[in-house]
Amino acid sequence: MARIGILTGGGDCPGLNAVIRAVTRKGVNVYGHAIVGYRDGWRGVLENRTMHLTPENTSGILHRGGTILGSSRTNPFKEDRGVELVKENLKAEHIDSLIAIGGEDTLGVADKLTDTRDVLVVGVPKTIDNDLNATDYTFGFQTAVQICTDAIDRLHTTAESHNRVMVVEVMGRHAGWIAIHSGLAGGADAILVPEKPFDVEEVCEHIRHRHHRGRTFSIVVVAEGATPKEGAETLQSNEKDAFGHVRLGGIGVWLENEIESRTGYETRVTILGHMQRGGTPTAYDRVLATRFGIAAIDAVEDGDFGKMVALQGTNIVRVPLGAAVGELKTVDQSLFDAAAVFFG
Ligand code: F6P
């Protein structure tokens, strides 16, 4: 019997509980291991705050959003004696290996700990932003896209009634996956992503063109990290988190003003914010998260550490953690070109 730790780090995401449930169910019932949950991501490892997980106390959580373990953006590499504390506390709890569920930051820590050769980790890719490399999709992304698409559908009808331009700001710090997918699904008339700095006059031209063709409303989807050609990211706050990220937000409000003043069309902005991360995961994300959880505990059983489980095509595979972190997966040109057919 081994003692296996599990933690959820970074921004929460629908499907985290499905991974925890799958790891625990197979880890205990099939392999006979003990599963130790760490509270609040890497913070719980630094402070040795744990929760014993069993098939019983992880039952009934498959459909629940958030994470029963809690999450944080703590970076042990930025804390005083952080890495030593991680090693000491894992040893004190007799933890043989760890399953870290997270995005670029949490798995970046897992990768660096792997390099120390003292911590055995398997990673599970999580982020609504879908910007992790080496996996076709992360769980949580599909749910976020569905939430945004539902919102765009609702905004469509009110836009139509009032002859308005609706700007919808969605998440996506460095990559426009949510914007492009929800924009495509919702029939957006312009989609603005961080990968492609935009010309605001061109966006206004699309809208004018639509209106000249007899359309009386338009929908513009913008990722929070999108920037105008002549500008920088719009920030909520300059303060950086432990991974060096500032808080983005405000591009939607900026666009609302620019579009209204340049075109004369009445414009309204909706910022979907954390709505996109909350609530129940879609069936797709429950299945993907469950498959990732099973694959992660299988990798632990095989002693295949320093890996991340990943979706490639329809298969769950194992890739080196280093292949997943370091460089973000951004929206490819062909997807953007497909969306652009419907602009203006
Ligand atoms: O998880 C990534 C993300 O969704 C980003 O798109 C966004 O910038 C960030 O989380 C905001 O998270 P928080 O407000 O929790 O720091």
Side-chain angles (χ1 to χ4, degrees):
M1 184 192 95
R3 279 171 68 77
I4 297 153
I6 182 168
L7 63 86
T8 53
D12 72 344
C13 169
L16 285 167
N17 286 325
V19 181
I20 296 168
R21 170 180 172 270
V23 165
T24 307
R25 194 71 65 90
K26 189 159 187 188
V28 174
N29 289 350
V30 178
Y31 295 131
H33 298 317
I35 309 293
V36 179
Y38 278 96
R39 312 301 300 246
D40 304 334
W42 293 112
R43 165 88 18 226
V45 185
L46 292 175
E47 296 173 356
N48 211 12
R49 286 187 289 114
T50 61
M51 169 186 181
H52 182 60
L53 297 177
T54 63
E56 291 70 37
N57 68 13
T58 55
S59 157
I61 63 170
L62 173 63
H63 62 286
R64 270 174 55 191
T67 160
I68 59 165
L69 291 175
S71 191
S72 72
R73 293 191 189 274
T74 299
N75 181 353
F77 286 87
K78 286 281 157 70
E79 301 276 328
D80 190 29
R81 292 196 64 249
V83 177
E84 285 94 324
L85 273 176
V86 167
K87 291 180 190 172
E88 282 167 23
N89 289 343
L90 291 177
K91 204 167 172 195
E93 277 295 319
H94 305 287
I95 299 295
D96 298 290
S97 58
L98 257 185
I99 294 177
I101 313 168
E104 163 86 1
D105 298 331
T106 304
L107 298 185
V109 170
D111 186 39
K112 285 209 243 168
L113 286 173
T114 298
D115 288 344
T116 70
R117 296 174 184 273
D118 291 327
V119 186
L120 303 175
V121 198
V122 169
V124 178
K126 163 248 62 154
T127 164
I128 64 162
D129 292 351
N130 195 41
D131 57 3
L132 258 180
N133 251 322
T135 185
D136 290 350
Y137 289 106
T138 50
F139 69 85
F141 168 64
Q142 225 253 354
T143 304
V145 168
Q146 191 60 53
I147 291 167
C148 295
T149 304
D150 291 345
I152 295 168
D153 286 349
R154 286 175 187 278
L155 291 169
H156 244 118
T157 61
T158 168
E160 217 166 350
S161 307
H162 288 270
N163 300 344
R164 281 174 175 158
V165 178
M166 290 292 189
V167 176
V168 190
E169 183 182 309
V170 302
M171 280 187 173
R173 195 188 279 278
H174 305 291
W177 292 104
I178 297 178
I180 206 101
H181 275 246
S182 63
L184 265 167
D189 305 300
I191 304 172
L192 310 175
V193 296
E195 292 87 340
K196 283 186 170 291
F198 62 87
D199 178 346
V200 68
E201 194 42 43
E202 210 173 283
V203 176
C204 291
E205 211 28 60
H206 282 324
I207 295 168
R208 287 190 202 101
H209 181 241
R210 260 177 71 75
H211 285 229
H212 292 151
R213 284 193 297 117
R215 302 282 191 211
T216 53
F217 71 96
S218 293
I219 305 279
V220 177
V221 177
V222 59
E224 62 181 347
T227 56
K229 270 185 182 153
E230 63 281 5
E233 285 167 330
T234 322
L235 308 183
Q236 286 272 324
S237 144
N238 251 325
E239 213 177 293
K240 290 192 174 149
D241 68 15
F243 291 94
H245 304 305
V246 288
R247 253 179 84 196
L248 296 179
I251 187 68
V253 173
W254 182 83
L255 269 172
E256 177 190 41
N257 292 329
E258 287 292 319
I259 293 172
E260 186 162 297
S261 64
R262 285 170 188 253
T263 64
Y265 303 134
E266 208 180 356
T267 307
R268 294 284 188 272
V269 63
T270 300
I271 301 165
L272 293 177
H274 294 79
M275 283 282 298
Q276 295 159 87
R277 287 212 321 233
T280 188
T282 57
Y284 178 90
D285 277 337
R286 295 182 205 188
V287 172
L288 183 59
T290 299
R291 291 179 75 201
F292 279 159
I294 298 291
I297 194 73
D298 286 346
V300 167
E301 186 63 16
D302 292 346
D304 200 3
F305 298 109
K307 298 285 172 65
M308 180 187 85
V309 296
L311 178 73
Q312 291 185 358
T314 55
N315 300 318
I316 305 288
V317 299
R318 296 172 193 166
V319 298
L321 272 167
V325 299
E327 204 183 313
L328 289 171
K329 183 181 68 182
T330 51
V331 172
D332 43 288
Q333 184 66 38
S334 64
L335 194 55
F336 194 81
D337 289 345
V341 171
F342 303 95
F343 295 173

